[in-house]
Amino acid sequence: MRPVGLETAFSIDLADGQPALRGLGIVNEAWSTPGNRFGRPGLLLGIKKLTVDSVRVIERLRAAN
């Protein structure tokens, strides 16, 4: 578990291990059990800063919408 308020590096990776999004975030909420609105343990991360490559990915996602 990561404590709420922790500023931490993160990476969201594809199935092949390649990073899709990387950057710096802050833990907004954290759950050790599935008793939350998502129904599984985990955390809600607020994005503070993305790498240059990750910004390009986000821009492509927004353009496709």
Side-chain angles (χ1 to χ4, degrees):
M1 285 295 299
R2 296 185 188 256
V4 172
L6 177 71
E7 194 170 286
T8 185
F10 72 90
S11 179
I12 300 173
D13 301 335
L14 302 174
D16 66 1
Q18 292 295 316
L21 295 175
R22 292 183 300 147
L24 183 65
I26 188 161
V27 178
N28 290 331
E29 297 179 48
W31 311 277
S32 59
T33 68
N36 60 72
R37 66 185 179 267
F38 300 107
R40 61 180 52 192
L43 57 87
L44 180 65
L45 187 69
I47 297 173
K48 292 189 76 170
K49 186 174 182 179
L50 293 170
T51 64
V52 173
D53 290 339
S54 296
V55 170
R56 289 186 195 123
V57 170
I58 293 291
E59 288 171 351
R60 288 176 55 202
L61 289 169
R62 286 182 177 154
N65 191 355

